[in-house]
Amino acid sequence: MPFEGEHLLPGKAGHFFVLLAFTAALLSTIGYVWASRQKDPPAKASWIRFSRMAFLIQVAAVLTTFGIILYICSNHYFEYLYAYKHSSKELEYRYLLSCVWEDQGGSFLLWSIWHSVLGLILIRKSRDWEAPVMSVISLAQVFLAMMLMGAYIFSVKIGNSPFALTRNEIPGPIFKQPNYLNFIKDGVGLNVLLRNYWMVIHPPILFLGFASTIVPFAYAWAGMQTKRFGDWVKPALPWTLFSACVLGVGIMMGGKWAYESLSFGGFWAWDPVENASLVPWLILIAGLHCMLIYKATGFSLRASYLFAILTFGFILYSTFLTRTGILGDTSVHAFTEAGKAMNILILVFMLAFILPGLGLFFARFKAIPSIAREENLDSREFWMFIGALVFFLTALFISAKTSLPVFNLIFNKHIAQPEDVEFSFNKILIFTAVITGCLSAITQYFKYKQSPKGEMLRKIALPTIIALGITVAMAFLYPLRYDKHGAGFIGAQYAALFSSIYAVAANGAYIWTVLKGSFKSAGGSIAHLGFAMMIAGMIISAGNKQTISDNRVTGINLPMGADPQTKKQDNPLENLTLIRQLPTRMGPYMVTYIKDSLGAEKGRKFYELLFEKKATNSDQVTESFRLYPDVYLMKNNAMSSNPDTRAYIGKDVFTYISYAQTQPEEDTAQFRITPIDIGDTAFYSKGYIILDEVVSNPAINKFNLHPASGSNMLMAKLRIVGNDSSHATSTPAIVVDNQQIQPVDDTAYAQNLYLRFAGVEERRIKLGIKESDQLIDFIALKAYIFPYINLVWVGLVLMAVGFILSMLRRLKASGRVTALALLGVALALFYMFLLAN
């Protein structure tokens, strides 16, 4: 049966290009594997040329597939399930890219695009490593293409096609009608939590980090396969630095998105998806330090192999955790609708790399060169390896706790996470912060192999004294106030704070005294300094986070539900009830809920809040600003809040709407007309109203009305006095134009009064008074002050700068083409940032 209005050509073309990408990637893999086994140079070169051509075809097919999906979503072709589920007509143009990678298939495609980009660079620069390295990249592309195939092989569905038709995927009588598209007025649309500019740039950067971890893995595989056991470290090291930088920045961009878009009041909640991205980064950092040790001393080659393999292995394991639904409701970010066949495919993808990688590692273990003697205790490599080991053990701890649903599934157990999940992580990880902070402070003052006695102590003495002095001063002048878990945990916080300050001071001193201010050689020290600054910012901002929305000032307590991110029951006393246009004390501010307004997207409402700070013992306003937190009312009438923040150098004022009226009832009250003269009083049920004066054509009015020539405006100035001695003002007006009378009503929300200048009668005005039978407009607001949170973001930037400096220093020996290619990637990401804004 023909269906009206369908656009089937893009879907057919898209499906063709997915199959083409799969076929080309498979041929490229076979060609590179065969080339890596050839001994005859002409035959090897011939196979490499064949494999390159196949890979280039695969790249073109992947990019074309992405373009077709974006075309379908941007044109709202709802006959495709992909567009119906993820796009909608009211969606802002800048969020169209987010529509593509909101879906599981789109994120796999994004991953494949980055593999394509990295593969092109490796083809150009990897020289005699090309065949074994690119065989790994091409094999990954085979699996990623399979995720998008949606084809049946022996009645088994392989992957999920992004070009599936809505009528074939959703059962219902409507889809049996030839004109079913006439009944689909709009799509479901992008998840409201993802309608944030960070979700345009965060996923591409995060997936570039994920994708780039395959390069050190591929070089490690190539080193074992070709038995060039130590040679692979040199070309892999710049890639490891690049991956550590991009993945670390991508993870913290997710934290910035959570801070700006989610309402749990922070940037990290130990969510399983967050953990799944952090674990590979920790192992990658461990591997990076082991590679540096090997380059300098010949130690830790086996550890370099193991960590390179496990980094990409845990990337695949995190994919398995977050995309198969195994996490269930333990994460608000995980995919839950992959299907059994897709779950099996993801599992095979993971095992196809982890098992051969570890298998070849253990098979070649004895052949991998190793120095028999132990490192000296006063050598840099010894303490670097200790630090790497701490990172690795931390990663195993986080992974083990995150994998509890897997353990329950395998062993048929029902072990639950502890009630306070965050503390179960923090009580262990804070000691990781202590150890790594101290190690990053002192290790660089050692020399490789052996250090002169006493030299390190002399150089580290001043930073030690500075760090101790700052920590002690803070304990007295600005103490940490997070005492929820007792004195022991407070002591641990101070130890971690000292170690992070110590690392900042020691690395700064090392750059100045040892490197003589040479920033070209200071990449490692800058990265350590930035990481330590991040940790210090996390400790201070979390330890002294202050809730200023104390609702005891109003006495109006609303029932609060559980926070959707943390699952914790919210405390009504920490959610300030604000009545519209009624200033209310909140911490150091007087806050007024001014008004609300509808956003461009359906169901979105912004709330305008005026914050004013007044001088002590004075009504003079010393500071004033407005915030606009917003709320999405979703189709199930659930409310999703997006925060708004006032940022200062030393703090952030963080606010979000925790309760809002979503479905106001129809107002049935009517205006009661009362004649009133200047100085007279009119009564209402909760007080009285005094007419002070009537102003003709006022130059300034709250409605910003300016009558045209020949028109007149009269404005009544009213004073409202409540029975509770409250005072308010109101200025209803009337505009006379061409013998037409147009009233301009005013509202006193706190009194639930609507006032109308209804006309003039015998030198008195006719005042319309309506006492609304609706509930007074009100909201509940949650507000925090995050002190010194900018240390986190500044530290992140410094850490990234350190990685980049170190990478460029290594790339200088590897050629300019790679640096230019990576610069192109950076420019592409910058373009995405501009598009998002």
Side-chain angles (χ1 to χ4, degrees), residues 695-709 711-716 731-737 741-746 757:
V695 181
S696 176
N697 295 322
I700 301 175
N701 59 82
K702 65 188 293 184
F703 309 107
N704 199 29
L705 292 175
H706 302 285
S709 177
S711 301
N712 290 292
M713 177 179 178
L714 295 176
M715 185 177 73
T731 54
I734 189 171
V735 177
V736 181
D737 183 11
I741 299 176
Q742 179 64 43
V744 182
D745 299 343
D746 198 7
F757 195 147

Side-chain angles (χ1 to χ4, degrees), residues 114-389:
W114 285 129
H115 274 177
S116 299
V117 173
L118 298 175
L120 292 175
I121 298 173
L122 288 166
I123 287 173
R124 179 68 178 85
K125 291 304 298 176
S126 55
R127 297 187 177 91
D128 55 340
W129 290 100
E130 180 181 347
V133 168
M134 285 301 300
S135 65
V136 176
I137 307 291
S138 297
L139 181 60
Q141 293 296 81
V142 171
F143 279 100
L144 290 172
M146 290 173 69
M147 304 293 178
L148 305 173
M149 283 174 59
Y152 285 87
I153 301 178
F154 301 113
S155 73
V156 177
K157 187 179 181 182
I158 307 298
N160 293 322
S161 173
F163 305 105
L165 295 175
T166 306
R167 57 181 164 84
N168 293 335
E169 300 297 321
I170 301 178
I174 182 179
F175 299 110
K176 299 184 183 301
Q177 302 182 37
N179 62 338
Y180 75 94
L181 283 175
N182 294 334
F183 300 98
I184 302 178
K185 302 302 181 183
D186 202 357
V188 175
L190 186 67
N191 186 314
V192 296
L193 295 177
L194 304 183
R195 300 184 189 193
N196 180 282
Y197 65 93
W198 282 110
M199 292 311 293
V200 180
I201 56 178
H202 157 58
I205 293 177
L206 184 65
F207 273 91
L208 175 57
F210 286 162
S212 63
T213 60
I214 199 175
V215 181
F217 174 91
Y219 272 108
W221 171 268
M224 292 185 294
Q225 180 188 333
T226 60
K227 298 184 180 180
R228 298 165 61 186
F229 292 112
D231 295 346
W232 68 277
V233 174
K234 182 179 179 181
L237 190 52
W239 286 104
T240 307
L241 286 161
F242 173 77
S243 185
C245 174
V246 175
L247 183 55
V249 170
I251 291 169
M252 287 308 296
M253 275 187 171
K256 184 67 171 173
W257 162 73
Y259 180 68
E260 292 191 4
S261 294
L262 303 183
S263 58
F264 67 85
F267 48 84
W268 197 266
W270 294 112
D271 182 272
V273 173
E274 297 171 348
N275 301 346
S277 60
L278 177 62
V279 166
W281 186 81
L282 292 172
I283 300 175
L284 180 66
I285 297 299
L288 170 62
H289 285 82
C290 288
M291 290 181 192
L292 293 171
I293 292 171
Y294 173 74
K295 285 284 293 178
T297 67
F299 284 103
S300 300
L301 180 58
R302 290 173 175 171
S304 299
Y305 270 110
L306 180 62
F307 292 147
I309 294 168
L310 289 180
T311 296
F312 186 61
F314 272 95
I315 288 287
L316 297 176
Y317 179 62
S318 70
T319 302
F320 173 76
L321 280 181
T322 58
R323 294 171 183 273
T324 58
I326 198 169
L327 292 175
D329 59 358
T330 62
S331 171
V332 297
H333 306 298
F335 293 94
T336 58
E337 52 182 37
K340 184 177 180 180
M342 178 66 89
N343 292 350
I344 294 174
L345 182 58
I346 293 172
L347 179 62
V348 173
F349 182 23
M350 178 181 71
L351 296 178
F353 285 84
I354 294 177
L355 294 182
L358 291 177
L360 188 59
F361 171 71
F362 289 115
R364 298 276 200 265
F365 185 80
K366 291 184 179 179
I368 298 173
S370 176
I371 299 175
R373 65 179 177 84
E374 298 292 332
E375 300 98 326
N376 293 320
L377 288 176
D378 60 350
S379 65
R380 182 183 291 188
E381 63 268 24
F382 175 82
W383 295 106
M384 284 178 67
F385 185 77
I386 294 297
L389 194 60

Side-chain angles (χ1 to χ4, degrees), residues 278 417 798:
L278 177 62
Q417 291 281 6
L798 288 175

